Amino acid sequence: MIRAYHVAKRYGDVHALRDVTVKLAKGEFCYVTGPSGAGKTTLLKMLYGSTQPTEGKLLVGGIDVARLSRRRLPYLRRNIGIVFQDFKLIDSRTVGENVGLALEVLGSSRDLINRRVSAVLNIVGLPGRGSDYPPTLSGGEQQRVAVARAIVNDPSILLADEPTGNLDGAMAIEVMEILRAINLRGTTVMVATHDTGLMNRFPYRKLRFEAGRLVES
Amino acid sequence: MTQRLQLVFRRALRSLWENAYLNAVSAGVIAATTLLFGVYLSVQFNVNNMVDTWDKDVHLSAYFHPDVPEQRRFNVRDEIAAHPEVIKVRYVSSDAANLWMQARMPAMETVLAELGSDTLPASLEISLSAARANDIDAFAGTLSVTDFSDIDYGQEWIEKFQGFLSLLKLLGAVMGSLILIAALFLVMNTVHLVVYNRKNELEIQKLVGATDGYITAPFLVEGLIQGLLGAMFAFIGLAAVHRLLVARLKDTFELAITAELQFLPGPYIAMLFVAGSLLGVGAAFLAVNRFLAKVT
């Protein structure tokens, strides 16, 4: 599902990633871990096309993101769900509207959007909260809304950048349980985190980075 | 397709409502610019009308020598009236000219009275058919120099005025273009503020796979609505200006303006709405694209 061949990323003289070669199979769950500045977020950003590798080849679902045009980028992202540490929800939109956004951009019918939103809110444990506004929810609930938005269009890949970074222990576990459940349904999940406790509790493959190099896979 | 259009309009109306102040500023700038454009069109339209009227109104004033006897004046009038190209000839006696002047310029009454009733010469007011407009010089040459002291048909003045008018049109077009460009940038920056106000939302839309078209479309609709609203306000403003100010100007300059001052006709009004719409849509397009170029 994801293949990187000698991928490198430089920002001027700074090497964010160096010579990364890795493969991730369909339906796999893995952590991207390492200290701050190790290159975790850079790798995820490259996977969803926010930045491009300066060297190497990076294939996501068979698409080379290094050669992807700006016009084609939205179509790659429609197959990738993304969850951020800061949730990235639109405060002036209801939970339902936030979750439905990923379907709205696809041009789905209102009826389908309503049905899918309701279904994924059930999956993330927020049934009947569609008409609430994000600021009225707790951090854990907001992150679950973000996860619901990421999976509403049934993507084949879910990328999560420090999804539990802003959450306390119990809430972090709840979110990880949801991510695990999503993975069990066949979605490839990649979680960037440096929370060793969480990685021990939910043991999966680890891609450990240090100073931009992949030191453990 | 209909569903997508509905969605675009719904998102546009929502954004208009949520950013009401900034959108009102945009519509206001468009209204002011379109009003200026409308004033320019209005002036141009009426001046053109006026010149057209002058062109069609082929008219000569021939002033008799004071020593030409009255009977001879009537004979000359009848001779001229017999010309096939002459539509109408009117004899204006010295007294009648004096009375006309007194009526038009009451402040000069005392001066005119002191100068006497024969201050202004008797004249013939001759109207020619429009077909003779181009050889009015030749017609004037047929009039006897022994009978008339001066022949005035203002053609030279009209030609000079038309030259001046061409220059005025050119200046108006240059000024109008500059105003439109300035307004475009002003509206574009206002739309940019709206875009930045929604930066977070637009970035999220990009992250979930929205195309540039999906993001841009509602802004174009917003621009169109702002443009149409702006043009509507400009139209109302223009109508008010026409009714109040232009009517007064007409009274003040009654001596000079002979043509009827008219409000802009349909095609010009349509131009006003097209200009407002283009301004709104163009500014929105430029502003959103400037933003999207920076977001990945």
Side-chain angles (χ1 to χ4, degrees), chain A residues 4 15 80 118 147 173 193 201 210:
Chain A
H15 290 261
I80 300 174
S118 177
V147 172
I173 290 166
T193 182
R201 188 179 179 111
E210 278 178 17

Side-chain angles (χ1 to χ4, degrees), chain B:
Chain B
M1 190 63 188
T2 316
Q3 189 187 315
R4 288 200 176 197
L5 270 178
Q6 277 178 351
L7 178 66
V8 168
F9 273 88
R10 205 171 58 230
R11 287 167 57 212
L13 291 175
R14 186 172 190 163
S15 174
L16 278 171
W17 177 251
E18 286 177 350
N19 300 283
Y21 175 72
L22 287 172
N23 285 310
V25 171
S26 290
V29 173
I30 292 173
T33 312
T34 321
L35 180 63
L36 280 177
F37 183 56
V39 168
Y40 167 71
L41 286 180
S42 199
V43 169
Q44 198 192 50
F45 173 73
N46 276 292
V47 172
N48 278 345
N49 252 3
M50 202 158 65
V51 173
D52 279 355
T53 311
W54 290 341
D55 276 349
K56 283 175 196 155
D57 185 17
V58 186
H59 185 87
L60 289 94
S61 295
Y63 300 97
F64 284 108
H65 280 298
D67 50 357
V68 175
E70 194 164 46
Q71 188 52 51
R72 169 67 187 154
R73 293 176 191 172
F74 292 140
N75 290 343
V76 171
R77 179 194 64 187
D78 295 342
E79 283 168 21
I80 291 173
H83 282 247
E85 62 266 49
V86 173
I87 297 171
K88 196 174 90 181
V89 183
R90 187 168 71 94
Y91 174 68
V92 180
S93 69
S94 188
D95 286 343
N98 220 4
L99 284 172
W100 182 87
M101 184 62 99
Q102 280 181 24
R104 291 284 165 162
M105 304 175 83
M108 299 289 286
E109 193 177 358
T110 323
V111 179
L112 290 168
E114 276 182 20
L115 287 170
S117 62
D118 57 348
T119 313
L120 298 174
S123 62
L124 289 181
E125 299 291 324
I126 306 164
S127 296
L128 299 182
S129 67
R132 294 301 302 264
N134 293 330
D135 52 9
I136 193 165
D137 277 325
F139 180 81
T142 64
L143 300 178
S144 164
V145 288
T146 53
D147 292 320
F148 298 106
S149 62
D150 192 19
I151 297 165
D152 174 23
Y153 49 94
Q155 192 64 18
E156 193 184 349
W157 187 84
I158 290 175
E159 281 165 11
K160 277 185 184 169
F161 188 76
Q162 278 175 328
F164 171 71
L165 208 64
S166 300
L167 185 70
L168 207 68
K169 277 182 190 173
L170 183 70
L171 280 175
V174 171
M175 290 295 290
S177 305
L178 289 176
I179 290 170
L180 281 176
I181 291 168
L184 186 73
F185 277 98
L186 207 58
V187 178
M188 190 176 88
N189 282 316
T190 317
V191 178
H192 216 118
L193 288 177
V194 176
V195 172
Y196 267 90
N197 220 18
R198 295 175 51 193
K199 184 172 178 278
N200 181 42
E201 181 185 340
L202 301 183
E203 283 173 352
I204 292 168
Q205 287 178 356
K206 289 284 282 180
L207 286 172
V208 298
T211 57
D212 287 355
Y214 173 89
I215 292 171
T216 309
F219 283 101
L220 298 185
V221 173
E222 278 179 59
L224 181 67
I225 293 171
Q226 286 168 2
L228 290 174
L229 276 177
M232 195 182 74
F233 288 129
F235 173 72
I236 293 169
L238 209 58
V241 166
H242 182 79
R243 200 171 257 247
L244 299 172
L245 189 68
V246 177
R248 283 185 193 177
L249 280 176
K250 191 185 166 190
D251 288 344
T252 311
F253 296 107
E254 198 173 1
L255 267 175
I257 299 174
T258 54
E260 183 71 22
L261 286 166
Q262 290 174 4
F263 191 57
L264 286 175
Y268 283 79
I269 302 293
M271 270 172 75
L272 220 59
F273 277 84
V274 168
S277 306
L278 283 178
L279 202 57
V281 173
F285 180 79
L286 293 174
V288 178
N289 275 280
R290 198 165 76 173
F291 171 79
L292 288 175
K294 294 175 192 163
V295 181
T296 49

Side-chain angles (χ1 to χ4, degrees), chain A:
Chain A
M1 182 55 67
I2 295 172
R3 291 176 183 196
Y5 298 101
H6 307 290
V7 168
K9 177 70 185 178
R10 272 198 318 274
Y11 294 104
D13 292 335
V14 179
H15 290 261
L17 284 178
R18 298 165 191 254
D19 196 26
V20 176
T21 297
V22 70
K23 284 182 189 176
L24 204 68
K26 187 175 185 304
E28 199 173 342
F29 192 122
C30 87
Y31 294 109
V32 181
T33 186
S36 295
K40 305 187 293 289
T41 298
T42 301
L43 178 66
L44 261 60
K45 275 186 168 181
M46 284 199 291
L47 289 171
Y48 63 80
S50 183
T51 186
Q52 293 195 320
T54 39
E55 284 171 42
K57 193 172 186 177
L58 182 60
L59 300 173
V60 179
I63 297 166
D64 186 354
V65 293
R67 290 164 180 260
L68 196 62
S69 70
R70 188 185 163 84
R71 267 175 66 88
R72 302 297 309 164
L73 185 59
Y75 303 98
L76 169 80
R77 287 185 177 165
R78 291 173 185 187
N79 202 28
I80 300 174
I82 314 168
V83 179
F84 296 92
Q85 182 176 354
D86 61 355
F87 322 134
K88 289 207 188 296
L89 298 176
I90 305 166
D91 288 347
S92 58
R93 302 283 183 269
T94 64
V95 165
E97 286 170 334
N98 269 282
V99 175
L101 187 62
L103 288 173
E104 197 179 277
V105 302
L106 298 177
S108 302
S109 69
R110 182 58 36 198
D111 188 43
L112 176 70
I113 292 174
N114 289 340
R115 275 190 283 118
R116 284 292 299 156
V117 167
S118 177
V120 291
L121 285 179
N122 275 330
I123 292 172
V124 300
L126 293 171
R129 304 293 296 273
S131 53
D132 291 349
Y133 283 86
T136 66
L137 306 180
S138 69
E141 287 171 330
Q142 288 192 47
Q143 192 58 296
R144 281 188 276 162
V145 173
V147 172
R149 182 184 62 200
I151 62 169
V152 73
N153 60 347
D154 216 6
S156 50
I157 301 170
L158 179 68
L159 304 175
D161 192 1
E162 302 280 5
T164 58
N166 280 353
L167 308 179
D168 64 26
M171 283 186 177
I173 290 166
E174 274 182 26
V175 169
M176 283 304 295
E177 291 284 8
I178 294 168
L179 294 180
R180 185 163 69 174
I182 292 163
N183 175 244
L184 288 173
R185 291 154 61 102
T187 306
T188 306
V189 179
M190 187 181 258
V191 179
T193 182
H194 53 255
D195 187 337
T196 48
L198 217 56
M199 285 188 279
N200 290 335
R201 188 179 179 111
F202 299 92
Y204 290 109
R205 179 184 172 195
K206 292 186 192 107
L207 305 179
R208 179 180 296 282
F209 284 85
E210 278 178 17
R213 288 188 191 282
L214 182 61
V215 294
E216 179 194 334
S217 68

